[in-house]
């Protein structure tokens, strides 16, 4: 087996690893509000979300096409260098996902991936390695930056109006009856968000793997994405989703707004509509920013609701730093791979990735979050106190 083939296999494994972290990092986008309101039991919620993420990954490939050919200008780069760029970008995305998960911050997995890829491409090729502006199907600014700026505001507006109308129309009804009805509605709306998340986010990894296959010469840009790539990415994101990502579920479900069932329904319905629409136009939208904007909107739309602006400020800060810091890691990983050269450089980066991932996981066990404490009262921190008792078999 050639060294280039080994590098390709490492890239594919790393891409699926990113997809896995994307799954547990973003479970909160679909299920945090349903878990917080009691519409779904935690384990039932993540199991349902995993199945629907799996199915959603097969609904469209428009986002995958954008990722594979619309962001990086690496068509004339030699095969090994292109694989190094893709691999370094994936490492940047994974490490940012794990770090923000450790602190319970719902940052964008999408932007972590794009930041890593952009940083690696700039380190390898200079500014010309990125398609900054392009046509309606390409370009960092039109496809990533503009949607990133608009998405949370649009989601907040839609969810806020929806929440206001719900409370206006039900103001004369008994609260228990309204809450019970909207808990049932949340099952459907949360399912739609999960389906939308699979449609949008699993495709990003499909696009990265297809980019690597094109770099290796196995496929051309004009070829269809093979079925095994779709199935592998769908399975990886579904498995990650099932593990739960409880630290971020807690932040979105309890930290930003105290959510009642009508608010949860409004947040989920607006998130699903925006994410599914963006997927059809090939916009690799941040589902995290959409979900967060929707939850914020429900706090603004409900009379007398409390919004914890300090928590939102921490989230927004993480959003601002996601692209540049993931890009910095991607650039550093490219530099290490280039320093050692060839397969050796990739193996060094891979070993560092595994070592840092294990360290972050072990650090998280000092202050675990799972089904037993994910709905505990918010005390101002991003995770519950360290003396909380954890049930046997606790996960992420």
């Amino acid at each position: 087996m050639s060294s280039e083939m080994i590098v390709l296999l490492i890239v594919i494994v790393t891409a699926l690893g990113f997809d896995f972290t994307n799954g547990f990092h973003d479970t909160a986008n679909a299920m945090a509000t349903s878990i917080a309101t009691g519409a779904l039991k935690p384990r039932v919620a993540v199991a349902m979300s995993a199945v629907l993420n799996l199915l959603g990954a097969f609904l469209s490939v428009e986002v995958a096409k954008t990722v594979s050919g619309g962001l990086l200008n690496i068509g004339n780069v030699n095969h090994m260098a292109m694989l190094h760029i893709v691999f370094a970008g994936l490492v940047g995305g994974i490490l940012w996902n794990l770090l923000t998960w450790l602190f319970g911050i719902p940052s964008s997995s999408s932007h972590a991936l794009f930041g890593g890829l952009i940083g690696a491409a700039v380190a390898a090729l200079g500014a010309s390695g990125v398609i900054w502006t392009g046509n309606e199907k390409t370009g960092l600014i039109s496809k990533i930056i503009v949607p990133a700026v608009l998405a949370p505001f649009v989601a907040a507006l839609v969810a806020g109006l929806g929440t206001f109308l719900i409370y206006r129309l039900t103001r004369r009804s008994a609260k228990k009856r309204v809450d019970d009805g909207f808990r049932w509605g949340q099952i459907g709306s949360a399912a739609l968000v999960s389906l939308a998340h699979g449609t949008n986010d699993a495709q990003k990894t499909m696009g990265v793997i297809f980019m690597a296959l094109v770099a290796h010469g196995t496929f051309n840009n004009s070829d269809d994405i093979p079925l095994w790539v779709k199935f592998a990415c769908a399975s990886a994101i579904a498995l990650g989703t099932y593990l739960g990502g409880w630290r971020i579920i807690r932040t979105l479900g309890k930290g930003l707004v105290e959510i009642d069932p009508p608010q949860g329904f409004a947040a989920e319905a607006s998130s699903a509509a925006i994410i599914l629409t963006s997927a059809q136009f090939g916009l690799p939208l941040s589902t995290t920013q959409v979900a967060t904007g929707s939850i914020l909107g429900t706090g603004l739309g409900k009379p007398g609701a409390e919004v914890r602006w300090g928590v939102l400020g921490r989230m927004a800060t993480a959003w601002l730093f996601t692209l540049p810091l993931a890009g910095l890691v991607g650039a550093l990983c490219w530099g290490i791979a280039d320093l050692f050269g060839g397969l050796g450089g990739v193996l060094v980066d891979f070993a560092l990735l595994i070592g840092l991932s294990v360290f972050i996981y072990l650090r998280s066990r000092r202050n675990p979050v799972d089904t037993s404490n994910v709905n505990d009262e918010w005390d101002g921190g991003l995770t519950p106190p360290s003396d909380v008792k954890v049930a046997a078999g606790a996960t992420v």
Side-chain angles (χ1 to χ4, degrees), residues 84-167:
H84 280 193
I85 291 171
V86 174
F87 173 72
L90 287 166
V91 173
I94 290 173
L95 291 178
W96 182 256
N97 271 354
L98 291 176
L99 187 63
T100 50
W101 162 78
L102 175 65
F103 290 103
I105 300 174
S107 70
S108 172
S109 296
S110 306
H111 294 166
L113 173 62
F114 300 143
L117 291 172
I118 291 165
V122 170
L125 307 171
S128 63
V130 178
I131 303 174
W132 301 100
T133 58
N135 53 40
E136 69 278 2
K137 294 184 178 181
T138 63
L140 173 69
I141 294 176
S142 61
K143 285 295 185 178
I144 305 299
I145 302 298
V146 172
V149 173
L150 294 179
F153 293 101
V154 173
L157 176 63
V158 173
L161 288 174
T163 302
F164 176 79
L165 290 174
I166 287 172
Y167 280 103

Side-chain angles (χ1 to χ4, degrees), residues 12-24:
I12 292 173
V13 169
T14 306
L16 294 176
F18 171 82
D19 208 24
F20 174 79
T21 67
N22 191 347
F24 74 72

Side-chain angles (χ1 to χ4, degrees), residues 288-365:
T288 300
Q289 291 183 355
V290 172
T292 303
S294 295
I295 292 171
L296 171 64
T298 67
L300 298 174
K302 179 186 175 183
E306 177 189 1
V307 176
R308 297 187 179 99
W309 295 104
V311 175
L312 180 64
R314 281 177 278 184
M315 294 181 190
T317 301
W319 294 352
L320 289 174
F321 283 105
T322 295
L323 277 169
L325 290 185
L328 179 61
V329 176
L332 289 173
C333 289
W334 162 263
I336 292 171
D338 187 53
L339 177 64
F340 287 90
L343 176 60
V346 171
L347 290 175
V348 171
D349 274 341
F350 195 59
L352 288 172
L353 172 62
I354 293 173
L356 289 172
S357 299
V358 170
F359 171 78
I360 292 172
Y361 173 76
L362 293 176
R363 178 64 182 81
S364 75
R365 306 321 298 155

